[in-house]
């Protein structure tokens, strides 16, 4: 999707969300003042942790430099590409295609255009997004369960998770992606209650932008819609019969995600299929091959990334040191 279209979608999302704010706020009028105070404490604590506790440095994750490079290039040239060996818009001797979607560069370049480009600003944006996501987690939990305690606990757990804190000090795609996924879910639940066209429009716009942050969001949100219609057609009472099976399926998905995240990515790691040269690297330096990622990453790499040309037949999905 072109930069101009993405910029318009982002602007449309902001405008529609502002126009829908009144109807969204109405859904939380019954919440006690004490609960709002606790939520404020969670938000401020998340801000302080993200700003002052988590180290802000490059290469905590491999794609951080690429994301900032692309955001700066969008800011200067309006093109979604990477600038190598030079300065974007001035003396860039070599450019290449940005490997991810354009959501991150477009969103961050909006702030760079207003406040100037700096890495420090990028980290502030990410930390702020993480803290705002804690508020959205509260809103989502309250809309689902209408229990203030459950909503506060959900928000607090999210804000204090080690992985949340880790990502709050990076310039990777996940915090922005999660923010727009949560925003879409909250707006969708408000629409279910109000049947407001404005809220629905804001939810659709946020959904489109979330898919342009990370493409797998298409599957996450599509599955959510399917589950909603399943509840509507079958009914909550009937659905309880399948609660154990659904919980088991959810647990399997969580375990697969944890295995994918923790088994590898320590030293030299790759995607679901690695090239022959990378296989030789593993053999040369005495690292072992984990085949579990073959089952976990294959659907993602084939059906989401669509990058089938670089696949080899080596089922070596992850290298970890012995």
């Amino acid at each position: 999707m072109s930069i101009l279209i993405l910029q318009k979608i982002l602007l449309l999302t902001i405008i529609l969300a502002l126009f829908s704010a009144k109807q969204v706020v109405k859904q939380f009028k019954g919440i006690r003042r004490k609960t709002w105070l606790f939520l404020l404490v969670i938000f401020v604590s998340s801000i302080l942790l993200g700003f002052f506790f988590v180290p802000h440095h490059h290469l905590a994750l491999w794609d951080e430099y690429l994301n900032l490079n692309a955001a700066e290039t969008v800011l200067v040239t309006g093109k979604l590409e990477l600038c190598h060996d030079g300065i974007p818009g001035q003396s860039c001797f070599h450019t290449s295609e940005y490997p991810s979607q354009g959501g991150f560069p477009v969103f961050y370049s909006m702030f760079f255009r207003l406040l100037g480009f700096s890495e420090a600003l990028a980290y502030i944006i990410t930390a702020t997004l993480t803290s705002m996501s804690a508020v959205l987690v509260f809103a989502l939990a309250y809309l689902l369960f209408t229990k203030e305690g459950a909503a506060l606990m959900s928000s607090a757990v999210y804000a204090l998770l080690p992985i949340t804190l880790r990502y709050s000090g990076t310039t990777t795609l996940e915090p922005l992606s999660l923010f727009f996924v949560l925003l879409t879910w909250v707006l969708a639940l408000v629409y279910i209650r109000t049947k407001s066209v404005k809220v629905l429009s804001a939810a659709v716009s946020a959904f489109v932008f979330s898919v342009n942050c990370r493409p797998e969001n298409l599957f996450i949100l599509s599955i959510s819609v399917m589950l909603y219609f399943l509840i509507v057609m079958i009914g909550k009472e009937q659905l309880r019969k399948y609660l154990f099976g659904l919980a088991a399926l959810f647990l399997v998905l969580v375990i697969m995600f944890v295995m994918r995240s923790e088994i590898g990515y320590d030293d030299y790691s790759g995607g679901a299929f690695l090239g022959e040269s990378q296989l030789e690297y593993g053999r040369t330096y005495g690292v072992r091959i984990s085949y579990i990622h073959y089952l976990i990453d294959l659907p993602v790499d084939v059906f989401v990334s669509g990058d089938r040309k670089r696949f080899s037949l080596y089922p070596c999905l992850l290298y970890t040191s012995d």
Side-chain angles (χ1 to χ4, degrees):
M1 192 174 290
S2 71
I3 292 299
L4 183 59
I5 294 176
L6 274 178
Q7 289 172 337
K8 291 181 178 180
I9 292 174
L10 177 59
L11 181 61
L12 181 64
T13 302
I14 295 172
I15 294 173
L16 289 174
L18 290 175
F19 275 111
S20 306
K22 185 176 180 180
Q23 289 170 301
V24 173
V25 170
K26 281 183 180 179
Q27 309 306 312
F28 305 96
K29 278 192 173 182
I31 295 178
R32 294 172 297 173
R33 184 176 299 179
K34 183 171 67 173
T35 302
W36 288 119
L37 181 61
F38 279 126
L39 181 61
L40 179 62
V41 171
I42 294 171
F43 177 77
V44 173
S45 300
S46 180
I47 284 281
L48 293 176
L49 289 172
F51 279 27
F52 303 111
F53 178 76
V54 179
H56 291 177
H57 55 79
H58 264 319
L59 301 181
L61 296 166
W62 72 272
D63 61 342
E64 290 192 69
Y65 167 75
L66 303 181
N67 297 332
L68 278 183
N69 188 311
E72 184 181 11
T73 305
V74 169
L75 172 68
V76 176
T77 68
K79 297 179 180 178
L80 185 61
E81 61 186 14
L82 298 173
C83 174
H84 307 282
D85 304 321
I87 303 173
Q90 298 181 27
S91 56
C92 193
F93 301 104
H94 173 60
T95 61
S96 64
E97 182 181 355
Y98 178 57
S100 301
Q101 285 63 42
F104 182 100
V106 167
F107 186 86
Y108 278 67
S109 64
M110 176 181 67
F111 292 94
F112 294 155
R113 194 176 302 279
L114 296 173
L115 303 172
F117 175 79
S118 72
E119 295 178 3
L121 176 59
Y123 290 123
I124 290 173
I125 295 170
T126 304
T128 305
L129 281 173
T130 304
S131 301
M132 293 174 66
S133 294
V135 177
L136 289 176
V137 168
F138 171 87
L140 179 63
Y142 182 79
L143 290 172
L144 286 172
F145 306 111
T146 61
K147 294 185 180 296
E148 298 176 19
L152 278 176
M153 183 61 69
S154 301
S155 179
V157 168
Y158 163 78
L160 296 176
L161 278 174
I163 193 169
T164 301
L165 296 176
R166 179 192 177 195
Y167 274 93
S168 69
T170 65
T171 54
T172 191
L173 307 176
E174 281 75 10
L176 178 66
S177 172
L178 178 62
F179 175 81
F180 276 96
V181 169
L182 290 171
L183 179 62
T184 303
W185 275 338
V186 169
L187 290 171
L189 289 174
V190 172
Y191 166 72
I192 292 171
R193 292 187 173 197
T194 62
K195 306 302 180 184
S196 168
V197 176
K198 288 189 295 185
V199 176
L200 177 62
S201 302
V204 171
S205 183
F207 167 69
V208 173
F209 194 82
S210 74
V211 173
N212 282 279
C213 293
R214 289 190 68 92
E216 56 265 38
N217 291 342
L218 177 66
F219 295 98
I220 295 172
L221 296 172
S222 299
I223 291 172
S224 302
V225 173
M226 291 171 58
L227 285 174
Y228 167 72
F229 283 110
L230 185 65
I231 293 172
V232 171
M233 289 186 294
I234 297 179
K236 291 183 179 180
E237 296 299 326
Q238 293 293 325
L239 196 62
R240 288 178 181 175
K241 298 178 181 179
Y242 307 98
L243 186 60
F244 179 79
L246 291 174
L249 176 61
F250 178 75
L251 182 61
V252 169
L253 295 175
V254 170
I255 292 174
M256 290 177 67
F257 173 78
V258 172
M259 291 172 67
R260 183 186 187 277
S261 302
E262 300 300 331
I263 293 177
Y265 299 102
D266 293 331
D267 297 316
Y268 187 87
S269 63
F273 286 87
L274 303 180
E276 185 173 1
S277 60
Q278 295 170 313
L279 180 65
E280 291 300 322
Y281 182 98
R283 290 172 176 169
T284 302
Y285 289 93
V287 296
R288 62 184 172 83
I289 299 172
S290 170
Y291 290 87
I292 192 65
H293 280 239
Y294 182 82
L295 298 176
I296 298 174
D297 276 353
L298 176 59
V300 175
D301 280 348
V302 173
F303 298 108
V304 176
S305 72
D307 190 6
R308 301 174 180 84
K309 294 181 180 179
R310 64 183 175 85
F311 286 174
S312 68
L313 296 178
Y314 299 104
C316 48
L317 311 183
L318 176 69
Y319 296 123
T320 54
S321 298
D322 287 325

